[in-house]
């Protein structure tokens, strides 16, 4: 099974996890507030890479941003487009590889991703590619973790990758159970990164 086929198979049930579907108002509000604290004033141009079913993309669109969601799993994008239509929110959905997004260089104020960097074969190359999408003054907003299963990236690993690419790394731990729909037993964090 290719990686995209793996994620396609996950698509239908993906939003059943509290932090994926954001169906619980407490969880939804926690993510709305977190994004509100790191995105610039709306409207800005936001690329959500590996957007999955589009939950964060839709929160950003609801806040007035112009959002493009990229994913390589067609069934994930189908779910995202269905949710956008139901909410009457205009998001551009693009089928493509988050490692080398088919988006214009210098076209975005924010490149956002949640739980995607860890899954890419060459995270260092992805950070370079993502940096090219940013306008001067723009930021990478990365939400990552190192799960109890052993999968994922530690915050220090992401810091090293960003610094090697000539970028800053402002890391915030995300222990709030409200974000995840329950208590955590592993490492979750947000990184805001700008060009040095
Ligand atoms: C753990 S899910 C996270 C989805 C979404 N970012 C969220 O936080 O709800 C990982 C997503 O990344 C996508 N993905 C993984 N590798 C990708 C790649 N190389 N190009 C595009 N999408 C990718 C998967 O299809 C899946 O939708």
């Amino acid at each position: 099974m290719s990686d995209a086929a793996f994620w396609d198979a996950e698509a239908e049930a993906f939003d059943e996890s509290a932090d994926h579907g954001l169906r619980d108002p407490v969880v939804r509000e926690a993510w709305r507030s977190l994004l509100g604290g790191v995105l610039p004033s709306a409207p800005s141009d936001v690329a959500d890479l590996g957007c999955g079913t589009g939950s964060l993309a839709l929160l950003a669109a609801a806040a007035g941003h112009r959002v493009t969601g990229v994913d390589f799993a067609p069934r994930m994008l189908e779910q995202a487009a269905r949710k956008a239509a139901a909410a009457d929110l205009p998001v551009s959905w693009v089928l493509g590889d988050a490692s080398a997004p088919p988006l214009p260089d210098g076209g975005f104020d924010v490149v956002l991703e949640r739980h995607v960097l860890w899954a890419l074969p060459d995270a260092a190359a992805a950070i370079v590619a993502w940096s090219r999408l940013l306008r001067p003054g723009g930021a990478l907003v990365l939400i990552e973790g190192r799960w109890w299963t052993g999968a994922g990236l530690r915050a220090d690993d992401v810091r090293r990758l960003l610094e090697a690419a000539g970028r800053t790394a402002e890391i915030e731990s995300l222990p709030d159970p409200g974000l995840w729909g329950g208590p955590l037993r592993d490492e979750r964090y947000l990184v805001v990164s700008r060009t040095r």
Side-chain angles (χ1 to χ4, degrees), residues 3-8 10-11 14-15 19-22 31 48-57 70-74 76-77 83 94-100 112-121 143 147:
D3 287 351
F6 169 83
W7 288 108
D8 264 346
E10 298 285 303
F14 190 76
D15 278 357
D19 57 320
H20 293 167
L22 314 184
W31 283 99
D48 182 4
L49 304 182
C51 62
T53 59
S55 293
L56 295 192
V70 177
D71 206 286
F72 69 177
M76 283 286 194
L77 286 186
K83 286 159 63 176
V94 176
L95 185 67
D97 185 354
S99 296
L112 169 70
E113 67 84 19
R114 182 176 70 166
H115 301 163
V116 179
L117 186 65
W118 72 275
L120 300 181
I143 297 153
W147 293 276

Side-chain angles (χ1 to χ4, degrees), residues 16-168:
E16 287 170 14
S17 294
D19 57 320
H20 293 167
L22 314 184
R23 292 170 175 162
D24 178 332
V26 172
V27 177
R28 187 176 183 75
E29 173 54 24
W31 283 99
R32 192 199 64 74
S33 172
L34 184 76
L35 283 189
V38 291
L39 295 181
S41 300
S44 75
D45 290 294
V46 177
D48 182 4
L49 304 182
C51 62
T53 59
S55 293
L56 295 192
L58 290 172
L59 277 184
H65 298 283
R66 296 177 290 262
V67 184
T68 303
V70 177
D71 206 286
F72 69 177
R75 293 190 60 204
M76 283 286 194
L77 286 186
E78 277 170 28
Q79 299 285 338
R82 186 182 51 72
K83 286 159 63 176
D88 197 20
L89 286 168
V91 175
S92 299
W93 305 111
V94 176
L95 185 67
D97 185 354
S99 296
L103 301 177
D105 286 356
F108 295 89
D109 301 295
V110 172
V111 170
L112 169 70
E113 67 84 19
R114 182 176 70 166
H115 301 163
V116 179
L117 186 65
W118 72 275
L120 300 181
D122 187 341
I127 284 170
V128 172
W130 297 355
S131 302
R132 280 200 295 267
L133 301 180
L134 293 173
R135 298 194 174 114
L140 303 181
V141 174
L142 315 178
I143 297 153
E144 285 294 329
R146 167 88 171 175
W147 293 276
W148 60 272
T149 57
L153 294 168
R154 295 187 196 285
D156 278 346
D157 297 333
V158 175
R159 180 197 301 282
R160 272 192 286 276
L161 287 166
L162 289 164
E163 289 180 352
R167 306 194 59 81
T168 66

